[in-house]
Amino acid sequence: MLEVSTSEALREQLVDWRHSSEHIALVPTMGNLHDGHLSLVSLAREHAERVVVSIFVNPTQFGETDDFDQYPRTLERDKRRLKRVKADLLFVPDVETMYPFGIDNATSVTVPVITAEFCGVFRPGHFDGVTSVVSRLFNIVQPDVAIFGQKDFQQQLVIRRLVDDLRLPLQIVSGATQREADGLALSSRNQYLSDEERAVAPTLYSVLQGIGNELQAGKRNYTELEQQAMDVLSDAGFDPEYVGIRRAENLQLPDRDNDEIVILAAVRLGAARLIDNIIVTI
Ligand code: PAF
C-alpha cells in the first residue's frame, strides 16, 4: 500500500492510474478503522480498480464541546488493517494540506435545509465542517466514486445533495451499517462506553427495530411513535437527542405508503454519542 501526505504526491500517483484507464474510489475516514470502515474499502473495490483511503481527523466538524482531542488516533494499526483489505493508497494529509489558508480563513461549504434538523441541531456547524472537508478531498483526489457508511445516514444524504447541487462528477455509494452480534452499530465512539453502558447500548438498535415493526404493522402515528421511543430510551438510561421517522430519500415527513422510511436516532450514553438508523419499506 502506498502512503502519501501531500496533494502533489497524491496527484502524481493518480495520474499514472488514470493513464492506465483505472477508475478511482475514495473512502474518506477519520481513522481508528473498524470492520465497518473495512467493509467500505471492500465495497470500493467493487466499484473501481484503485482504492484510495483518506485518514484525517477533521477539526472543522467538531464543536467546542465535542471529542476532537480525545478522538482515537491509531494510524499504525489502521495501516495494518488497510493492507489486509488491500487498499491501494493511504492519503494522510495534515491540517495545512487540507486548509492551506488556515482553519479560520477556510472557505466553508454549506448544504442548507437537509442539515437543519437532527444532527444539525445538536451539532451546530458539524455538517459545514463535513461538506467543507469532503469537497476538498473530492477536489484533491478527483475520484470516480466515493463511499460513505449508511450509519451516518444524514451525512450521506447531505453529501449526495452536495454532489448533485454542485454537479460534481462522481458517484456516491453507501455501504451497509456493520453491527456487533448484539446489534450495536460499529463506531469508533463505542470505545468510550463503560462495560455497563456497553451492555445497554444495543437497546438503541432494538428500539429502532420496534418502530420498524410498528410501521410495518400499519401504524402511521409518527410523532407518537417517536415520542414513545424517546421515553423507552430515557428509561433504559440513554439521554436521547432525537428519534425521527422520515422518508429515506430526503428526510421529509412520510406522506404516502410504499415508501422507503428511515428511522434514525441519536443518543448520549456516558461519554459517547451514538447514532443509528434502519430503513423499512411501508
Ligand atoms: O464519516 C466520517 O468519518 C467523516 O465525517 C468524514 C466523511 C470522513 C469527513 O471527515
Side-chain angles (χ1 to χ4, degrees), residues 13-244:
Q13 182 53 53
L14 298 181
V15 163
D16 283 353
W17 290 341
R18 287 209 181 88
H19 275 158
S20 323
S21 301
E22 291 178 311
H23 295 96
I24 291 158
L26 171 66
V27 184
T29 81
M30 297 204 300
N32 193 240
L33 305 179
H34 50 64
D35 286 352
H37 296 109
L38 301 185
S39 74
L40 300 182
V41 176
S42 304
L43 181 60
R45 171 75 59 214
E46 292 173 24
H47 289 267
E49 291 82 15
R50 296 291 181 177
V51 177
V52 174
V53 177
S54 62
I55 295 184
F56 179 65
V57 185
N58 172 35
T60 66
Q61 68 186 77
F62 289 81
E64 270 173 24
T65 56
D66 283 344
D67 55 345
F68 177 71
D69 291 334
Q70 297 81 46
Y71 200 83
R73 287 146 172 98
T74 51
L75 185 58
E76 290 311 314
R77 200 192 62 166
D78 292 348
K79 284 190 211 171
R80 288 197 293 278
R81 295 193 153 192
L82 288 173
K83 280 181 195 155
R84 231 180 289 144
V85 291
K86 300 193 174 12
D88 293 290
L89 189 148
L90 172 61
F91 179 46
V92 201
D94 58 14
V95 174
E96 288 69 37
T97 298
M98 294 308 291
Y99 296 100
F101 296 97
I103 300 274
D104 292 340
N105 299 321
T107 301
S108 180
V109 180
T110 297
V111 173
V113 184
I114 198 167
T115 54
E117 282 189 279
F118 303 123
C119 287
V121 173
F122 291 90
R123 301 188 70 188
H126 166 70
F127 285 121
D128 286 356
V130 170
T131 43
S132 297
V133 79
V134 164
S135 301
R136 288 167 156 76
L137 287 167
F138 288 170
N139 280 329
I140 295 170
V141 180
Q142 301 189 358
D144 299 286
V145 53
I147 318 284
F148 293 88
Q150 194 190 297
K151 186 177 78 69
D152 296 284
F153 189 84
Q154 189 176 11
Q155 169 174 280
Q156 57 91 29
L157 275 190
V158 169
I159 290 165
R160 282 176 190 278
R161 176 63 63 86
L162 169 80
V163 165
D164 288 349
D165 196 15
L166 298 186
R167 305 279 200 274
L168 300 180
L170 77 155
Q171 188 197 349
I172 300 298
V173 170
S174 302
T177 303
Q178 304 298 307
R179 299 182 181 280
E180 302 282 5
D182 58 11
L184 178 65
L186 298 192
S187 164
S188 300
R189 293 186 166 104
N190 292 350
Q191 59 200 269
Y192 300 156
L193 298 169
S194 68
D195 289 349
E196 251 174 37
E197 290 158 356
R198 175 64 189 80
V200 171
T203 307
L204 175 58
Y205 180 51
S206 52
V207 166
L208 299 181
Q209 285 179 308
I211 300 178
N213 293 340
E214 302 265 31
L215 293 175
Q216 282 174 330
K219 297 252 173 74
R220 295 292 180 267
N221 47 338
Y222 304 117
T223 317
E224 212 177 297
L225 287 171
E226 289 167 356
Q227 190 51 55
Q228 280 168 6
M230 294 282 283
D231 295 343
V232 174
L233 289 167
S234 298
D235 292 347
F238 297 94
D239 183 6
E241 288 184 349
Y242 64 78
V243 176

